[in-house]
Amino acid sequence: MSTTPLTLNDCRARDAADTLHPLRELFDIPEGVIYLDGNSLGVMPKTAAARAAEVVTQEWGQGLIRSWNTAGWFNLPQRLGNRIAPLIGADADEVVATDSTSINLFKVLSAALSIAAQDAPERKLIVSERSNFPTDLYIAEGLCKERGYTLKLVEPEEIAAALTADVAVLMLTHVNYRTGAMHDMPAVTAAAHAAGALMVWDLAHSAGAVPVTLKASGADFSVGCGYKYLNGGPGAPAFVWVHPKHADRFWQPLAGWWGHAAPFAFTPDYQPAPGITRYLCGTQPIVSMSLLGCGLEGFEAAEKLGGMAALRAKSLALTDLFIQLVEERCQGYGLGLATPRDHAQRGSQVCLTREHAAGGALGSGAFAIVQALIARGVIGDYRAGDGGIHKDILRFGFTPLYIGFEDVWNAVEHLRQVLETGEWQKPEFNQKHAVT
Amino acid sequence: MSTTPLTLNDCRARDAADTLHPLRELFDIPEGVIYLDGNSLGVMPKTAAARAAEVVTQEWGQGLIRSWNTAGWFNLPQRLGNRIAPLIGADADEVVATDSTSINLFKVLSAALSIAAQDAPERKLIVSERSNFPTDLYIAEGLCKERGYTLKLVEPEEIAAALTADVAVLMLTHVNYRTGAMHDMPAVTAAAHAAGALMVWDLAHSAGAVPVTLKASGADFSVGCGYKYLNGGPGAPAFVWVHPKHADRFWQPLAGWWGHAAPFAFTPDYQPAPGITRYLCGTQPIVSMSLLGCGLEGFEAAEKLGGMAALRAKSLALTDLFIQLVEERCQGYGLGLATPRDHAQRGSQVCLTREHAAGGALGSGAFAIVQALIARGVIGDYRAGDGGIHKDILRFGFTPLYIGFEDVWNAVEHLRQVLETGEWQKPEFNQKHAVT
């Protein structure tokens, strides 16, 4: 920790010196909002409104069915996939944008189990983290029931010991959604392979947030999200990557027309297209999918300014600053740090814990503090604990494309005021919504 | 057939007398286009552009993550489902809009096989039509491989005989995409049940085109498309219906967070939501999904003018007229009729065949005739035959919401000119695109 407390002016000076700072001008950030929830839904690129109008009124309205050819709808999943590939350490023609992360995880996990069933039929476990994103566990649970496998859930520090001779697949999310803790992708992938298991990575909280090295790490399968750090818009299609050595080996069971080798021959028998195209299934939501392209423009603009390496350096500087300011300015309010201090283990978010005792009759108060911050325009989010080792979490995402150092100062200042004034104890901040 | 040939003025008089004719003002139809491909991609409702702008700039841009609550994203699948329900003979809270038709078919076919495995494990066949929409067959083929079933494909007239004691599921598309022939939903469903099989209906070419009576027919499962007759925009999410007696009985294997009983509790174990909500999986493309609502407004406006019964009467009048005019005005060019003349067996499209011999060295010429028509602004589509009993098809969809009787006259007049002048033989109309 620094011995001289930081000031607002220090933060402004950092923005002035930040060569990435002008990139925020590519985005529309609502007046009066400090948006620290880009890990849940990224902000809107300024080009999105015009692109939506073009797709709706021109491509749909005027082009109609002809736009499959004239507007390039037919290879849009591949074109977007090729733009995502450099962000995740994949090569051209190895990625498609399509469907949701959950659906894509079903596809790759099905394929992984098919490979395992052939190469190592005695292996009957899928290992994952207990605090992996729940939908990933639900998909795995469903497939385990279908295929006669067992899903074994462990804490992060137990993963190495869990890689026994009966493990078929290790399935992990690269950056944990609750804590922001990041796995060492090359090391964990190597450990899985050394144990004879296949490695599936979910990049929901890392694509666009941290450098990802799928191919260099030797990973087998991966999926990721289009609407978090990639800024593709609400529910933007997800993406899927399969190592080329596996891509042609099996069908995935969601075999639809768009993954067929000759989709317009309308033959009754399924013949999977070569490569990653066989991971497509049915017709895609073209308007939402087109907007994902606007989100990717931000990364293409960043490319000239140092690309993901520069974004990563700024992300770490932002999260370091947030941790430092919280510790300097919000002492004595029962906050703890869930996110690792070690840069090598940190994604692009900082998660604070709060002890239940600190909130008295209001539980941990974590939910209410987040609501009070949102009312002040500082948007983060809350994730409930389980009453055990997983505590209530205040979660703040720092997207280096559009968050600056002064934003961090102001966010912490609001947090300090919410805690100091006891504002979070107001009844209106303690009413839980359907969705939080 | 009428003995007095129809005239353009007769057709104009019919438009003038048609109480549904003003509904076309709800849609933006490109200048100079007669759009007979609403069975492939419906035209744009005029409200779509403003709605897209609102969802993108306000709900996403300004509301950001808060829009899950404030813009009602969280129950959008159910709200849209409840608007689709009356079009398909379902009740409230029995339908959700989500994912693609292919993905939804996987869900319901999985559930149907789970029921069959429990109630009648000796039944190991899925029966369908050989000329069912291919993607439906691919999904069934994949599931058969997974679960140890066999997919048996028959011609429509062979279905009754194919309903033997080893059939678990009869899976049909209500209106055939190639011929426009429509099954008798109550009778076929009753026959399936009498034979001990479950009945799965794909409504891709019937929802919004013909009255559908899922519940009255006693059907078990159904899926359908949002972007054809429902005018929801390119790749708009599809929908899924499950009879309430089955809905709570099994998980479907695409178990994601949105189908969970408590989606924001983030528990590691999957607990399916009650009813149709468990057929949701991952995060949906909100922009594309919102535009589906614009498509449904057309049907809500038609409700005051007689609803689906009135739309059906007009649809039959349009297709009758098209058949009559083609037979009166395009004789001697080798055209045949693939669509049934019997109203009870006809959807909302007319499919013409052309013999290979009629096109000489250019094959049947069906592809080129369609291209020549498109160049004139008459947009239908072509579906290749198989060289056997399934001939090359010229396909024309008639959407009663926005197609009028004069459109039918003009379309046939263009067809007549294309045939009479031999214009279709030009080389540019014989170049096949990637997508047709």
Side-chain angles (χ1 to χ4, degrees):
Chain A
M1 291 289 95
S2 161
T3 49
T4 313
L6 283 166
T7 66
L8 173 58
N9 279 337
D10 294 334
C11 295
R12 287 179 173 158
R14 290 200 197 182
D15 280 332
D18 171 22
T19 55
L20 299 178
H21 194 71
L23 291 174
R24 69 189 283 144
E25 294 308 317
L26 300 176
F27 298 90
D28 233 338
I29 300 169
E31 191 79 19
V33 164
I34 299 172
Y35 194 66
L36 305 182
D37 215 0
N39 49 332
S40 196
L41 172 62
V43 302
M44 187 185 77
K46 285 180 178 165
T47 54
R51 181 78 184 112
E54 180 182 31
V55 178
V56 172
T57 62
Q58 295 305 309
E59 297 184 8
W60 176 17
Q62 295 296 307
L64 284 162
I65 196 69
R66 299 169 290 196
S67 289
W68 280 97
N69 286 304
T70 56
W73 292 348
F74 185 60
N75 61 10
L76 186 55
Q78 289 90 343
R79 287 188 288 127
L80 291 169
N82 282 337
R83 294 170 66 186
I84 292 168
L87 300 177
I88 58 173
D91 288 325
D93 302 328
E94 292 179 359
V95 181
V96 285
T98 189
D99 291 326
S100 66
T101 310
S102 303
I103 298 285
N104 289 334
L105 187 63
F106 184 89
K107 298 172 187 169
V108 301
L109 209 47
S110 296
L113 292 181
S114 294
I115 290 174
Q118 186 161 314
D119 295 354
E122 73 288 359
R123 293 174 175 264
K124 288 294 183 191
L125 286 186
I126 298 176
V127 170
S128 193
E129 263 186 79
R130 188 166 295 114
S131 73
N132 195 348
F133 193 63
T135 206
D136 291 27
L137 302 182
Y138 306 155
I139 290 288
E141 197 181 348
L143 264 170
C144 283
K145 288 207 312 181
E146 295 275 319
R147 305 270 188 114
Y149 282 74
T150 299
L151 177 61
K152 181 175 178 177
L153 300 182
V154 299
E155 296 301 320
E157 62 274 15
E158 299 166 340
I159 292 170
L163 290 171
T164 53
D166 46 1
V167 178
V169 176
L170 176 59
M171 173 189 89
L172 294 173
T173 297
H174 185 210
V175 174
N176 186 284
Y177 84 106
R178 279 183 55 85
T179 62
M182 180 169 72
H183 288 290
D184 180 336
M185 182 177 281
V188 173
T189 304
H193 288 171
L198 291 161
M199 184 74 231
V200 176
W201 287 107
D202 179 345
L203 304 179
H205 290 267
S206 39
V210 299
V212 177
T213 57
L214 283 175
K215 206 145 176 207
S217 298
D220 297 292
F221 297 92
S222 184
V223 299
C225 179
Y227 57 82
K228 297 179 189 281
Y229 290 100
L230 296 187
N231 305 313
F239 62 85
V240 54
W241 172 83
V242 175
H243 194 287
K245 75 182 169 193
H246 300 310
D248 287 332
R249 210 168 146 194
F250 288 96
W251 292 12
Q252 50 85 16
L254 298 174
W257 74 267
W258 213 333
H260 195 280
F264 293 94
F266 294 97
T267 59
D269 296 319
Y270 186 66
Q271 292 295 332
I276 193 66
T277 294
R278 71 177 59 186
Y279 282 77
L280 300 178
C281 181
T283 306
Q284 291 300 300
I286 297 292
V287 184
S288 284
M289 183 170 260
S290 298
L291 297 178
L292 175 53
C294 299
L296 297 174
E297 290 166 4
F299 296 94
E300 288 151 0
E303 203 46 54
K304 307 175 199 86
L305 303 169
M308 274 311 303
L311 288 167
R312 172 63 170 162
K314 180 175 172 185
S315 158
L316 287 169
L318 291 167
T319 51
D320 275 345
L321 175 65
F322 183 79
I323 294 169
Q324 181 178 351
L325 287 173
V326 167
E327 292 183 337
E328 284 179 2
R329 299 170 58 76
C330 303
Q331 283 176 4
Y333 297 112
L335 295 176
L337 181 65
T339 302
R341 289 181 197 277
D342 179 357
H343 284 180
Q345 295 178 41
R346 189 194 306 162
S348 197
Q349 70 192 55
V350 177
C351 299
L352 304 177
T353 57
R354 197 154 190 260
E355 298 293 340
H356 259 68
L362 297 172
S364 71
F367 172 81
I369 294 166
V370 168
Q371 297 310 309
L373 284 171
I374 290 172
R376 285 166 168 262
V378 180
I379 303 181
D381 58 25
Y382 161 80
R383 290 294 178 258
D386 59 8
I389 60 170
H390 303 119
K391 296 178 183 163
D392 286 357
I393 293 264
L394 299 85
R395 190 172 74 154
F396 302 97
F398 296 86
T399 303
L401 280 172
Y402 53 77
I403 297 296
F405 296 94
E406 182 174 348
D407 293 327
V408 176
W409 174 276
N410 290 333
V412 175
E413 178 56 18
H414 281 292
L415 175 60
R416 193 188 65 73
Q417 291 178 21
V418 162
L419 292 165
E420 188 175 279
T421 61
E423 180 176 314
W424 62 274
Q425 298 173 45
K426 290 185 184 170
E428 67 260 37
F429 299 136
N430 284 276
Q431 304 293 323
K432 295 207 178 177
H433 309 301
V435 183
T436 58
Chain B
M1 291 288 94
S2 163
T3 48
T4 315
L6 284 165
T7 66
L8 173 57
N9 279 336
D10 295 333
C11 296
R12 288 178 172 159
R14 291 200 195 182
D15 280 331
D18 172 21
T19 55
L20 299 178
H21 194 71
L23 291 173
R24 70 189 282 145
E25 294 309 316
L26 301 175
F27 299 90
D28 234 338
I29 301 169
E31 190 80 20
V33 164
I34 299 172
Y35 193 66
L36 305 180
D37 214 1
N39 50 331
S40 194
L41 171 62
V43 301
M44 186 185 75
K46 285 181 178 164
T47 55
R51 181 78 185 112
E54 181 183 29
V55 178
V56 172
T57 62
Q58 295 304 310
E59 297 185 8
W60 175 18
Q62 295 295 308
L64 285 162
I65 196 70
R66 298 169 291 198
S67 290
W68 279 97
N69 285 304
T70 56
W73 291 349
F74 184 59
N75 61 9
L76 187 55
Q78 288 91 343
R79 287 189 287 127
L80 291 168
N82 282 338
R83 294 170 67 186
I84 293 167
L87 300 177
I88 59 173
D91 289 324
D93 302 327
E94 293 179 358
V95 181
V96 285
T98 189
D99 292 324
S100 65
T101 310
S102 303
I103 297 285
N104 289 334
L105 187 63
F106 183 88
K107 296 173 189 170
V108 301
L109 209 47
S110 296
L113 292 181
S114 294
I115 290 174
Q118 186 162 313
D119 295 353
E122 73 288 359
R123 293 173 175 266
K124 290 293 183 193
L125 285 186
I126 298 176
V127 169
S128 193
E129 262 185 80
R130 189 167 294 113
S131 73
N132 195 348
F133 193 62
T135 204
D136 292 26
L137 302 181
Y138 306 157
I139 290 287
E141 195 181 350
L143 263 169
C144 284
K145 288 209 309 183
E146 294 275 319
R147 305 270 189 113
Y149 282 74
T150 300
L151 177 63
K152 180 174 177 178
L153 300 181
V154 300
E155 296 302 321
E157 62 276 13
E158 299 167 339
I159 292 171
L163 289 171
T164 53
D166 46 1
V167 177
V169 176
L170 175 59
M171 173 188 89
L172 294 173
T173 297
H174 185 210
V175 175
N176 186 284
Y177 84 106
R178 279 183 56 84
T179 62
M182 182 168 71
H183 288 290
D184 180 336
M185 182 177 282
V188 173
T189 303
H193 287 170
L198 292 160
M199 185 73 231
V200 175
W201 287 107
D202 180 345
L203 305 178
H205 291 267
S206 37
V210 300
V212 177
T213 58
L214 282 176
K215 207 148 175 205
S217 298
D220 297 293
F221 298 91
S222 184
V223 299
C225 178
Y227 56 83
K228 297 179 189 279
Y229 289 101
L230 296 186
N231 305 313
F239 63 85
V240 54
W241 171 84
V242 175
H243 194 286
K245 74 182 170 191
H246 300 310
D248 288 330
R249 211 168 146 195
F250 288 96
W251 293 13
Q252 50 84 17
L254 298 174
W257 73 267
W258 212 334
H260 195 280
F264 292 95
F266 294 99
T267 59
D269 295 319
Y270 185 67
Q271 292 295 332
I276 194 66
T277 295
R278 70 179 60 187
Y279 283 77
L280 300 179
C281 181
T283 307
Q284 291 300 299
I286 297 292
V287 184
S288 284
M289 183 171 262
S290 299
L291 296 178
L292 175 53
C294 299
L296 297 174
E297 290 166 5
F299 296 94
E300 288 150 1
E303 203 46 54
K304 308 175 199 85
L305 303 169
M308 275 310 303
L311 289 168
R312 172 62 170 163
K314 180 173 172 186
S315 158
L316 287 170
L318 290 168
T319 52
D320 274 346
L321 176 65
F322 183 78
I323 293 169
Q324 182 178 349
L325 288 174
V326 167
E327 292 183 339
E328 284 180 0
R329 299 170 57 75
C330 302
Q331 285 175 2
Y333 297 112
L335 295 177
L337 182 65
T339 302
R341 289 181 196 276
D342 179 357
H343 285 180
Q345 296 178 41
R346 188 194 306 161
S348 198
Q349 69 192 55
V350 177
C351 299
L352 304 177
T353 56
R354 197 152 191 261
E355 298 292 341
H356 261 69
L362 297 171
S364 71
F367 173 82
I369 294 167
V370 168
Q371 298 309 310
L373 284 170
I374 291 173
R376 286 165 167 262
V378 180
I379 302 182
D381 58 24
Y382 161 80
R383 291 292 177 260
D386 60 7
I389 60 170
H390 303 119
K391 295 177 184 162
D392 286 357
I393 293 261
L394 301 84
R395 189 172 74 154
F396 303 97
F398 296 85
T399 303
L401 281 172
Y402 53 78
I403 296 297
F405 297 93
E406 183 174 348
D407 292 328
V408 176
W409 174 276
N410 290 333
V412 175
E413 177 57 19
H414 281 293
L415 175 60
R416 193 189 65 74
Q417 290 179 21
V418 162
L419 292 165
E420 187 175 280
T421 61
E423 179 177 314
W424 62 274
Q425 299 175 45
K426 289 184 185 172
E428 65 262 37
F429 299 136
N430 285 275
Q431 303 294 321
K432 294 207 179 178
H433 309 300
V435 182
T436 56

